[in-house]
């Protein structure tokens, strides 16, 4: 019998598998989808703490960046890059307010003038009057990173669909899958939008927002975007193959849309915005990835002990930024360590 069953093989499950294996735990991952998960494949992969919903959320996200750096030091060759973000989603006084608020929290912020922006991004079409540069930020394709972490963990991976969590005498004892039962000393739900259905039999409600995500990838281009670019109309980055990767919505992180609209219309609108940002380039659609983003009802992570002993939960958006630090802290708790103050505001009990 394995010590730990982690349900879900996206970036959160993968990071947990690594941290628990480093602590000597025997881990098995169970996932309907291939290693890398589903939501992780449709993630923008922007690692940042410039977006946050509360001060505790900021501190957790900021520590998430540090946790990513600890991973890259421990496992050289991970697909994580720290090119920074050039941000002008807000302008004028709102932009200055953002800069001041982040600096007051200790975040690194550089104010750029129009000539400085043009020097950094000569391919950019309309040059804003000013922008902020966040040098601490970077990118990592969560699905690729998840596969690397699973490989480093040595965890067994079982392709199966979990139907329910099993219990005996009020304690989680494993899961029932379409392949049969799997027993374990503990179960961790890194199951994204599938989590509420697994908790419901225990009388526990986890509200989730409806947040579809569509990631568009273009044909390869010459180097045009050396940073994460966050404009009022579009967030975009360029990958190692020269392809632009972009959410099919403006303000992706704070996007409240519950539907995507017609696929051709949405994609064509996204391509139009990209062609405006980088004029003179032949930009066209290459492929897309779509998934429901795992966003709890208040937008904040849900991490920690579940409704019965032996059952743990790790559900969040953005897992790209948060998974490494959540995995560190939750693995410590699971193996007998103290509860982390960083996770105090993100427990399931707040929805009771």
């Amino acid at each position: 019998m394995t010590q730990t069953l982690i349900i879900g093989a996206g970036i959160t499950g993968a990071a947990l598998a690594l941290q628990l294996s480093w602590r000597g735990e025997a881990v098995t991952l169970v996932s309907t989808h291939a290693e890398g998960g589903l939501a992780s494949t449709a993630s923008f992969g922007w690692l940042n703490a410039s977006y946050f919903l509360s001060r505790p959320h900021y501190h957790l996200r900021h520590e998430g960046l540090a946790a990513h750096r600890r991973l890259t030091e421990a496992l050289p060759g991970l697909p994580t890059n720290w090119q920074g973000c050039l941000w002008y989603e807000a302008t004028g006084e709102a932009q200055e307010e953002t800069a001041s608020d982040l600096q007051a929290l200790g975040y690194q912020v550089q104010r750029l003038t129009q000539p400085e922006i043009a020097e950094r991004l000569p391919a950019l079409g309309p040059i804003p009057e000013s922008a902020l540069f966040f040098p601490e930020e970077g990118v990592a394709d969560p699905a690729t990173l998840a596969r690397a972490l699973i490989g480093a963990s040595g965890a067994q991976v079982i392709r199966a669909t979990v139907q329910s969590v099993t219990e005996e005498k009020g304690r989680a004892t494993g899961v029932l899958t379409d392949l049969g039962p799997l027993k374990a000393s503990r179960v961790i739900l890194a199951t994204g939008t599938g989590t509420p259905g697994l908790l419901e039999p225990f009388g526990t409600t986890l509200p989730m927002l409806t947040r579809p995500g569509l990631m568009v990838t273009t044909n390869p281009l010459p180097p045009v975007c050396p940073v994460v670019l966050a404009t009022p109309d579009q967030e975009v980055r360029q990958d190692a193959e020269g392809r632009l990767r972009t959410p099919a919505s403006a303000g992706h992180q704070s996007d409240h849309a519950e539907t995507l609209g017609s696929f051709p219309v949405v994609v064509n609108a996204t391509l139009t915005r990209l062609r405006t940002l980088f004029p003179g380039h032949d930009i066209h659609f290459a492929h897309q990835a779509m998934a429901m983003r795992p966003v709890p009802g208040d937008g904040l992570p849900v991490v920690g002990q579940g409704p019965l002993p032996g059952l743990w939960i790790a559900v969040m958006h953005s897992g790209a930024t948060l998974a490494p630090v959540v995995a560190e802290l939750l693995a410590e708790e699971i193996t007998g360590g103290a509860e982390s103050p960083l996770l105090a505001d993100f427990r399931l009990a707040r929805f009771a």
Side-chain angles (χ1 to χ4, degrees):
M1 182 176 69
T2 189
Q3 286 177 283
T4 302
L5 282 176
I6 299 174
I7 316 305
I11 184 59
T12 302
L16 281 161
L18 181 70
Q19 290 295 333
L20 287 167
S21 70
W22 279 352
R23 288 163 173 78
E25 299 287 311
V27 178
T28 297
L29 286 153
V30 185
S31 177
T32 302
H33 308 286
E35 295 174 32
L38 186 61
S40 292
T41 64
S43 170
F44 186 41
W46 178 11
L47 313 179
N48 74 81
S50 53
Y51 171 80
F52 58 93
L53 298 176
S54 65
R55 185 157 293 200
H57 192 214
Y58 165 80
H59 289 301
L60 185 65
R61 290 179 68 90
H62 198 219
E63 189 58 31
L65 301 183
H68 269 283
R69 287 185 164 86
R70 289 191 286 272
L71 276 181
T72 57
E73 290 174 3
L75 300 170
L78 290 180
T80 307
N81 298 294
W82 301 102
Q83 64 263 61
C85 171
L86 196 146
W87 185 92
Y88 56 100
E89 287 186 347
T91 59
E93 292 183 3
Q95 185 181 108
E96 180 55 33
E97 183 179 354
T98 295
S100 298
D101 289 347
L102 286 169
Q103 286 181 314
L105 289 167
Y107 208 56
Q108 294 182 40
V109 178
Q110 299 172 12
R111 294 168 173 83
L112 301 183
T113 63
Q114 194 171 53
E116 290 172 329
I117 298 166
E119 182 179 359
R120 289 188 185 224
L121 278 85
L124 189 62
I127 307 295
E129 292 184 2
S130 63
L132 306 179
F133 184 68
F134 305 135
E136 296 180 69
E137 299 184 355
V139 295
D141 178 75
T144 304
L145 181 57
R147 289 189 287 269
L149 298 185
I150 291 170
S153 75
Q156 180 186 8
V157 181
I158 297 175
R159 289 288 296 277
T161 298
V162 171
Q163 299 167 341
S164 62
V165 176
T166 57
E167 67 168 311
E168 185 176 333
K169 297 179 180 179
R171 182 177 181 84
T173 57
V175 295
L176 179 63
T177 78
D178 57 344
L179 301 181
L182 296 172
K183 296 291 186 180
S185 301
R186 66 179 71 93
V187 176
I188 307 174
L189 300 181
T191 38
T193 57
T195 309
L198 294 172
L199 293 177
E200 188 177 5
F202 305 108
T204 299
T205 299
L206 173 58
M208 297 289 285
L209 300 176
T210 302
R211 294 292 183 266
L214 174 63
M215 199 61 49
V216 174
T217 302
T218 74
N219 55 303
L221 300 172
V224 296
C225 190
V227 297
V228 178
L229 182 63
T231 83
D233 300 317
Q234 196 69 54
E235 296 165 352
V236 59
R237 65 180 179 90
Q238 192 167 21
D239 66 18
E241 287 73 40
R243 302 168 299 189
L244 298 180
R245 292 178 55 84
T246 183
S249 62
H252 170 67
Q253 294 186 108
S254 56
D255 178 30
H256 293 165
E258 295 190 353
T259 60
L260 289 171
S262 167
F263 179 78
V265 172
V266 170
V267 170
N268 286 332
T270 303
L271 293 174
T272 298
R273 293 193 294 269
L274 292 177
R275 291 164 184 153
T276 300
L277 282 173
F278 303 108
H281 291 277
D282 181 23
I283 300 175
H284 59 83
F285 173 80
H287 61 83
Q288 56 85 23
M290 185 173 66
M292 297 302 296
R293 292 177 285 166
V295 187
D298 57 4
L300 297 169
V302 178
V303 183
Q305 178 73 56
L308 68 165
L311 182 61
W312 300 80
I313 302 170
V315 178
M316 71 210 73
H317 175 74
S318 158
T321 295
L322 292 174
V325 66
V326 165
E328 287 181 353
L329 301 175
L330 191 57
E332 184 67 18
E333 290 186 15
I334 287 171
T335 55
E339 291 189 353
S340 170
L342 275 173
L343 296 179
D345 288 77
F346 309 113
R347 305 298 186 178
L348 178 64
R350 72 183 187 270
F351 293 115

